[in-house]
Amino acid sequence: MSESVQLTAEVFIDTGKDFRPEDSLTVPYTCALGETVTLDFDLTGFEHTCGFRFDPLLEDSSMVKLEGLVLTYEDDETRQIEMERIKTNSDVDFDPIFVYLHNDPKFFVDEALCLKLKAAKVTFRVLELGNDKKEYWQEIKKHSVSEKEKAQLLGKLDIAMKENHALEKENKRLKVEAEDIYSSGIWKLQHDAQGPMKVIFGKGNILTFLAAVYLALCSELFIFNNAYYSTPRPNDQVLCFSFFRFGMVFLGAFVLIAVINRVIQKGYRRELD
């Protein structure tokens, strides 16, 4: 059995001015390593309480197992504080065993549970003292992940999975829309066209094509009407639609509009860059 050691525990009460030495209680105790220690603290001397901090020992680096922390309130209600409502400044966390590579271990109780305190009882064990195994614990610290860090990582993973699920749904929706668009005649004609038709019906050229057709028709109708209403006109003159003239006008208009469009797009991209 290990020898008994003399240690000192301290409780700090936040009275609205943070944790100060003048708002603390110090209790010496003797224990052997691994022995259960229970300390009772009378808090009636503090008029107002809004925070509770327990320092299990002030002498050395240590490994401490917190077995229980019970708070008693002014209305005589007693509450066992869950570990989820307690924070500590440990270097390595094996909840409820905590390793401290420094000489100032601390346990903080959730402030919401610290109003109008009357008494406190803390049960704990000091499992190790000193720096004999400091290098060992420092190596453990490099490769350990605390419960808080685990929760943060799991939270990030859950968010990422939800985002991935949302992206998969959006991808499926876009695939359905793409299939619907491809099934439409114009898009399919643009996609499957070959040779000169590829140029005419290619992406961005369909409006150019329609504009060229419109201009060619307008010019042909203008020539037709001008000839029809001109006087005098020989009775034997036959007015007919000239496909050659229409084609030449269409080709010229198509090339001109395409060139103008390309120049405009090139200038627009230069401005963006």
Side-chain angles (χ1 to χ4, degrees):
M1 184 175 181
S2 60
E3 297 180 358
S4 296
V5 291
Q6 183 72 32
L7 300 172
T8 306
E10 190 170 14
V11 161
F12 287 83
I13 298 298
D14 184 358
T15 60
K17 302 177 182 179
D18 209 348
F19 297 111
R20 306 182 303 168
E22 52 265 40
D23 296 323
S24 65
L25 298 174
T26 303
V27 177
Y29 64 94
T30 302
C31 72
L33 295 183
E35 179 183 354
T36 299
V37 178
T38 300
L39 300 178
D40 292 291
F41 299 92
D42 182 4
L43 308 179
T44 55
F46 301 99
E47 295 183 1
H48 175 69
T49 64
C50 58
F52 180 90
R53 182 184 117 192
F54 172 66
D55 299 359
L57 57 104
L58 310 179
E59 287 77 12
D60 210 338
S61 58
S62 58
M63 178 194 290
V64 177
K65 180 179 182 181
L66 185 63
E67 296 190 339
L69 198 160
V70 178
L71 297 179
T72 303
Y73 299 89
E74 293 179 359
D75 59 359
D76 292 328
E77 178 190 358
T78 300
R79 178 166 183 170
Q80 175 80 36
I81 307 302
E82 303 86 355
M83 290 303 300
E84 293 78 10
R85 308 296 293 274
I86 301 174
K87 296 180 180 179
T88 185
N89 62 340
S90 63
D91 293 287
V92 183
D93 183 351
F94 296 113
D95 187 11
I97 298 176
F98 306 95
V99 179
Y100 304 89
L101 303 179
H102 50 83
N103 301 348
D104 191 22
K106 303 173 183 177
F107 291 96
F108 299 88
V109 178
D110 189 339
E111 293 180 354
L113 305 176
C114 299
L115 298 176
K116 298 181 179 181
L117 295 179
K118 177 181 178 181
K121 176 188 288 187
V122 185
T123 304
F124 63 98
R125 297 185 187 185
V126 179
L127 303 178
E128 284 184 8
L129 277 176
N131 296 323
D132 295 341
K133 298 184 179 180
K134 192 170 184 178
E135 293 183 0
Y136 169 78
W137 288 117
Q138 285 176 337
E139 190 65 25
I140 293 293
K141 180 181 178 181
K142 292 180 183 178
H143 301 89
S144 65
V145 179
S146 67
E147 292 299 322
K148 182 178 180 180
E149 291 172 324
K150 288 179 184 178
Q152 291 175 343
L153 291 173
L154 290 174
K156 291 179 180 179
L157 179 60
D158 183 56
I159 292 173
M161 291 180 65
K162 289 180 179 178
E163 290 178 350
N164 184 58
H165 181 65
L167 290 174
E168 287 181 351
K169 289 180 65 176
E170 180 66 12
N171 187 42
K172 289 180 180 179
R173 185 185 67 80
L174 291 175
K175 284 183 178 180
V176 171
E177 287 187 359
E179 291 176 358
D180 292 341
I181 293 172
Y182 182 77
S183 63
S184 63
I186 295 296
W187 197 94
K188 190 172 183 180
L189 183 62
Q190 291 178 345
H191 186 270
D192 298 338
Q194 300 294 331
M197 298 301 291
K198 186 74 173 179
V199 177
I200 295 174
F201 292 104
K203 184 179 181 181
N205 287 340
I206 186 67
L207 293 178
T208 303
F209 171 80
L210 294 175
V213 170
Y214 175 77
L215 291 175
L217 283 175
C218 287
S219 64
E220 187 65 22
L221 288 174
F222 174 77
I223 295 171
F224 183 87
N225 287 336
N226 189 54
Y228 183 82
Y229 290 107
S230 64
T231 56
R233 177 169 62 86
N235 294 331
D236 59 346
Q237 183 179 359
V238 178
L239 298 177
C240 62
F241 184 86
S242 175
F243 287 97
F244 176 78
R245 187 170 54 223
F246 173 84
M248 294 301 292
V249 174
F250 164 78
L251 184 60
F254 183 85
V255 172
L256 180 62
I257 296 172
V259 170
I260 294 173
N261 182 58
R262 182 63 58 87
V263 171
I264 293 173
Q265 291 295 328
K266 188 175 181 180
Y268 178 69
R269 291 194 199 97
R270 188 179 296 113
E271 287 182 5
L272 291 179
D273 294 338

